[in-house]
Amino acid sequence: MKIQNDLSDMTVLEELGHRLSKQRLDLGLTQAGLAISAGLGKRTIERLEAGKSVQLDTLVRILRVLNVLDRMDSLIPDESAPRPMELLKLKGKERQRASTNPKSAKESKKPLKPWVWGDGE
């Protein structure tokens, strides 16, 4: 089932519980094993998988043990990272080439003295 805004809170919690249960089973963990690894009670895992509400720190502990905590980054993106539209706006303003300093351009037009062995430089 796809989680969408039009679903009730209870339905979303039940779907999340189902997905976490599947992830746990895919890793070959029992509810008791997950509870021990996360430092929680088995009843807490049962409640979560049944679609009941749990505390946020409990969810973080479980996600960490199930190796899916890093997926939270895609759920709620980092605000300091540039957004795709900002990147598109900046694209046309990217530096294409280095400009020459007018002073150094004039100096480069001066003829160079030929180098001779024994100049000492």
Side-chain angles (χ1 to χ4, degrees):
M1 166 190 307
K2 185 172 180 175
I3 296 176
Q4 299 176 343
N5 280 334
D6 60 344
L7 297 176
S8 70
D9 292 350
M10 181 183 264
T11 304
V12 171
L13 288 173
E14 287 172 356
E15 179 62 21
L16 288 174
H18 173 74
R19 291 182 187 188
L20 291 172
S21 174
K22 183 177 180 337
Q23 181 68 24
R24 174 183 59 78
L25 292 170
D26 288 348
L27 292 174
L29 289 170
T30 63
Q31 287 181 333
L34 175 58
I36 290 168
S37 296
L40 302 167
K42 181 178 177 268
R43 181 70 186 123
T44 302
I45 304 301
E46 292 170 354
R47 286 180 45 76
L48 177 66
E49 290 184 0
K52 306 295 182 200
S53 181
V54 296
Q55 292 184 348
L56 189 56
D57 65 327
T58 299
L59 179 61
V60 169
R61 288 178 177 193
I62 292 168
L63 293 175
R64 186 182 316 276
V65 173
L66 295 177
N67 297 319
V68 292
L69 184 59
D70 58 340
R71 295 183 189 171
M72 293 295 286
D73 235 6
S74 60
L75 177 65
I76 304 171
D78 181 10
E79 286 295 319
S80 64
R83 295 180 177 162
M85 288 305 292
E86 291 171 355
L87 290 174
L88 284 174
K89 288 178 185 175
L90 292 174
K91 185 172 177 137
K93 297 178 184 177
E94 286 182 27
R95 194 169 184 172
Q96 299 296 315
R97 60 182 156 259
S99 60
T100 58
N101 183 348
K103 187 176 182 181
S104 66
K106 288 177 187 175
E107 290 175 4
S108 66
K109 291 180 183 177
K110 291 180 186 176
L112 296 176
K113 256 182 356 174
W115 182 81
V116 181
W117 281 102
D119 275 355
E121 288 188 61

